[in-house]
Amino acid sequence: MKLIKNSLLLQIVLAIALGTYLGDLLPLGVSRFFSTFNALFGNFLNFIIPLIIVGLIVPAIGNIGKEAGKLLVITTGLAYGSTLLAGFSSYAVSISIFPQFLLSQSTDLAVEPEQVLVPYFSIEIPPLFDVMSALILAFIIGICISKGPFTHLKGIFNEFQSIIMTVIEKVIIPFLPLFIFGVFLNMTYSGQVFVILETFLKIIGVIFALHIVFLIFQYALAGLVVKRNPFLLMKNMLPAYFTALGTQSSAATIPVTLESTLKNDVSPKIAGFVIPLCATIHLAGSTLKIVACAIALMLIQNVPIDPFAMIGFILMLGVTMIAAPGVPGGAIMAALGVLQSVLGFDAEQQTLMIALYVAMDSFGTACNVMGDGAIALIVDKIGTKDFVSTE
């Protein structure tokens, strides 16, 4: 029981299994109770998402500051470029492979109105402002704080970030398995559940393969820059990779990532600057997963995929990923606003995204962490002089 209590992944797996098993067994009245909870929790998510965006993005941008000059620009540029490359690579592969993989699933998801569990009641909780307003506001305030002497304002938003993190850790994460249970209960009742589960397995396999290929590419590029064997460089980073599999947190893995990076002969000063920064702003593996999962869900639900909308989604996702807190599942929480504002995902689609993401969270975090080591190698090669000049 203690293991289940401490593992969000196990809780979600249990919620999916119980929802699938009990969907045809529970009395309708009981099932409608869980549907009512989902309606309330879904409305709460819609309310809190803009606040999550402001609470996480403003401090993330504001705390970067300007203390490291060109080295900060180089590291941030490489991290953002890596994240975008992961996103566009994932889009290209997903849009090429998934239509064939998921063709049968998309024809099996039609649901009649009487097959949907109706909640007993629902309470509307309108957000204070919409998602796009939250994004623009967060960017404006964050950039101004990072450039100006707004120490009091910076402190306020750092405290607001703590409030939002408390809401995520004490409210959203604990009730998330129950919400997912309700989603799968409803899908079982409507006859959709086995299609969704089959889709999950196919997506997970493709995304894991994408992670491996992307890591090889990152280290091939880093090896080319530093003129060293990329596979030897990857071998030295394996302790960080496997630690991230266990912690599911880039931040918690920083000490091991730093030690592994030093084994690749990166300057201690460069490693000490790049690794903690990249643990916050470099989430290529997370972006890769989110893009692939979004495309898969859109395909099986027969939602048209607009290439220009996906380009905007990936560009915006690359920015919002810097707001991902160092906790398991943090990246998908930071991405909910973009999923809603750009792709139009509703609460149920967002929940499926969370379930898919958490199922692969360890591998995405490990990909992020391993990629941090590749960025440190490149920065060490081209940015040492800039760093020394700021000392």
Side-chain angles (χ1 to χ4, degrees), residues 346-391:
D346 59 24
E348 181 173 313
Q349 290 170 313
Q350 291 169 354
T351 303
L352 289 174
M353 284 289 297
I354 294 171
L356 256 176
Y357 183 92
V358 172
M360 300 174 286
D361 195 18
S362 295
F363 296 107
T365 302
C367 183
N368 295 336
V369 165
M370 194 95 163
D372 295 347
I375 290 176
L377 284 161
I378 297 174
V379 173
D380 187 54
K381 181 68 175 180
I382 65 179
T384 303
K385 292 182 181 180
D386 291 320
F387 186 83
V388 172
S389 66
T390 64
E391 293 293 300

Side-chain angles (χ1 to χ4, degrees), residues 289-307:
K289 283 192 302 182
I290 291 171
V291 171
C293 292
I295 291 174
L297 288 179
M298 293 171 76
L299 285 172
I300 66 172
Q301 295 178 341
N302 291 313
V303 177
I305 298 177
D306 181 354

Side-chain angles (χ1 to χ4, degrees), residues 9 13 42-43 87 92 97 107 135 149 164 204-205 211 217-218 227 242 249-250 264 303-304 340 365 374 391:
L9 175 58
V13 170
N43 286 333
I97 293 177
T107 62
L135 285 168
I164 293 299
I204 290 171
H211 278 156
F217 171 80
Q218 284 181 315
K227 296 180 174 57
F242 287 109
S249 168
S250 298
N264 279 333
V303 177
Q340 182 186 33
T365 302
E391 293 293 300

Side-chain angles (χ1 to χ4, degrees), residues 72-96:
L72 175 63
V73 175
I74 292 170
T75 306
T76 304
L78 286 172
Y80 185 64
S82 174
T83 301
L84 289 186
L85 182 61
F88 285 114
S89 300
S90 179
Y91 170 72
V93 173
S94 299
I95 206 68
S96 301

Side-chain angles (χ1 to χ4, degrees), residues 249-286:
S249 168
S250 298
T253 312
I254 285 175
V256 182
T257 310
L258 189 59
E259 182 181 355
S260 300
T261 303
L262 293 175
K263 289 181 181 178
N264 279 333
D265 298 326
V266 174
S267 162
K269 291 182 179 180
I270 293 291
F273 175 82
V274 172
I275 296 304
L277 178 60
C278 282
T280 303
I281 67 174
H282 179 233
L283 288 99
S286 301

